[in-house]
Amino acid sequence: MNISVNVCGINFKNPIILASGTVGYGHELNSFFPINEMGGVALKAVTVAERAGNPPPRITEAKSSIINAIGLANKGLDYFESTIINEVSSIDTVRIANIAGESIDEYITICDRLNKHDAIHMYEINVSCPNVNAGGMVFGLDRGMLKALVKECKSVSKKPIIIKLHPDVFDIASIAKSCEDNGADALSLTNTIPSMEIDPIREIPKLYNNFGGLSGEAIRPIALRLVYLASQAVSIPIIGGGGITNTDDVIKFMLAGASLVSIGTLAITNPMKPYEILNELPAFLERKKVDDINEIIGRLKTY
Ligand SMILES: Cc1cc2nc3c(=O)[nH]c(=O)nc-3n(C[C@H](O)[C@H](O)[C@H](O)COP(=O)(O)O)c2cc1C
């Protein structure tokens, strides 16, 4: 039984990636399970300058989901290079830097400076964070800016670039295609979905930021549609995710066209779960009489 997947020339032991922002820098989860065994880990977003993120409350619950407005809190690029890179280099899995910025120059600075670090295998260009005032999803929503950003990142990057797309767009297929045409090596979708929750007693939003990004089980049908539509439009690989909670969900995203899948909120609510899903995967495939997981990528039948 083969569950390894090759994406952009990089070998993933299995298709399960831990999603950015939900597992810190990955090694924090080692007390729950051997993180080395996962297919990859997308590290928490890095920005040029340190960011405190939004004031609390910055996470709240909704039905089968959470809404977060963390706001890309991180200690900045200097600290990432001096400390985080060393910490994550011992994790024996594919390590993906998640890159965010307020301008194209900031994205480029990060790609350029991380080029020299062998500990980072790929860049995930985050153009879809809903929780910042500048940058973030602005790039994902403006086609002209997105095109320029993808081009510039590609020209400076010495590692494959994954563009993490924004879900709240009118035509995901043409946005995905434009990323491919302008040099993206892979796509990732979906990020959290812009949303809001209100406290009816106190009569205020549940998040200080008013709005946040919805993630977890509730968004899976939306994410599946986006992955399917994008995969029909491009031939570059896709990392699919949003609301994965079990092995069935992994298979659903792969059938829809994802070569890799990402698990986020589930790792927050139950840190053991991604590892349990990984361990259940071979038996699940055997029951489906699949010898090689690559066989099911994009194999969805339609009526
Ligand atoms: C608390 C939290 C923080 C996140 N931070 C980031 C981030 O820094 N960069 C990023 O690209 N996505 C970030 N995300 C989005 C996740 O990586 C993932 O795309 C999204 O949550 C959907 O997957 P899920 O339903 O499995 O959580 C964050 C999500 C959560 C819940």
Side-chain angles (χ1 to χ4, degrees):
M1 159 88 55
N2 175 42
I3 59 165
S4 70
V5 179
N6 191 293
V7 165
C8 303
I10 295 172
N11 189 52
F12 290 75
K13 292 169 205 175
N14 61 71
I16 303 182
I17 309 288
L18 298 169
S20 178
T22 60
V23 292
Y25 296 102
H27 56 327
E28 293 94 330
L29 285 196
N30 263 330
S31 55
F32 294 99
F33 61 84
I35 186 125
N36 288 347
E37 291 186 30
M38 302 311 291
V41 55
L43 310 174
K44 174 67 191 165
V46 57
T47 51
V48 172
E50 178 170 359
R51 293 178 58 94
N54 293 315
R58 50 190 198 177
I59 290 199
T60 188
E61 286 182 51
K63 275 261 164 70
S64 305
S65 60
I66 61 173
I67 307 177
N68 92 82
I70 303 292
L72 300 178
N74 78 102
K75 289 194 170 177
L77 183 56
D78 288 343
Y79 183 83
F80 189 85
E81 281 195 276
S82 65
T83 308
I84 302 296
I85 296 249
N86 286 335
E87 287 176 5
V88 300
S89 60
S90 60
I91 307 174
D92 180 21
T93 188
V94 179
R95 297 172 293 257
I96 302 169
N98 184 274
I99 296 172
E102 293 187 5
S103 65
I104 293 185
D105 278 352
E106 288 190 2
Y107 283 93
I108 287 174
T109 300
I110 302 174
C111 294
D112 189 34
R113 276 179 49 185
L114 295 185
N115 276 339
K116 61 178 174 294
H117 297 287
D118 293 339
I120 299 298
H121 301 113
M122 301 178 94
Y123 298 148
E124 186 174 54
I125 309 294
N126 179 358
V127 292
S128 40
C129 179
N131 302 319
V132 289
N133 292 329
M137 73 178 186
V138 172
F139 285 99
L141 292 173
D142 181 312
R143 281 163 191 260
M145 275 167 76
L146 181 59
K147 189 173 156 181
L149 179 69
V150 174
K151 260 193 180 156
E152 298 281 344
C153 287
K154 180 62 184 173
S155 72
V156 81
S157 297
K158 297 204 169 107
K159 305 172 199 274
I161 62 167
I162 307 158
I163 308 300
K164 186 159 180 182
L165 294 174
H166 189 63
D168 200 10
V169 293
F170 169 64
D171 183 3
I172 194 75
S174 68
I175 290 174
K177 184 76 176 84
S178 163
C179 289
E180 178 178 46
D181 291 346
N182 287 287
D185 297 296
L187 302 175
S188 170
L189 64 170
T190 180
N191 208 320
T192 56
I193 298 175
S195 52
M196 183 180 201
E197 190 54 289
I198 288 173
D199 182 333
I201 309 295
R202 297 168 64 217
E203 302 184 3
I204 53 169
K206 286 207 172 169
L207 295 171
Y208 180 93
N209 191 49
N210 290 345
F211 312 120
L214 189 72
S215 63
E217 197 166 4
I219 73 167
R220 191 182 53 250
I222 299 170
L224 279 170
R225 173 180 176 271
L226 293 169
V227 168
Y228 177 72
L229 288 172
S231 80
Q232 296 295 300
V234 300
S235 53
I236 50 176
I238 294 179
I239 303 178
I244 292 181
T245 60
N246 55 34
T247 320
D248 269 12
D249 295 342
V250 170
I251 303 297
K252 290 178 198 175
F253 275 96
M254 295 191 79
L255 288 171
S259 301
L260 300 166
V261 300
S262 65
I263 300 184
T265 301
L266 188 66
I268 298 177
T269 53
N270 181 350
M272 290 295 295
K273 247 337 211 174
Y275 189 57
E276 284 172 24
I277 293 176
L278 172 60
N279 286 328
E280 286 162 11
L281 196 55
F284 189 90
L285 292 169
E286 207 170 304
R287 285 198 297 280
K288 280 180 69 67
K289 301 201 182 340
V290 171
D291 294 329
D292 181 343
I293 197 156
N294 291 276
E295 287 169 27
I296 64 165
I297 299 170
R299 198 170 81 176
L300 188 71
K301 302 180 196 94
T302 44
Y303 294 98

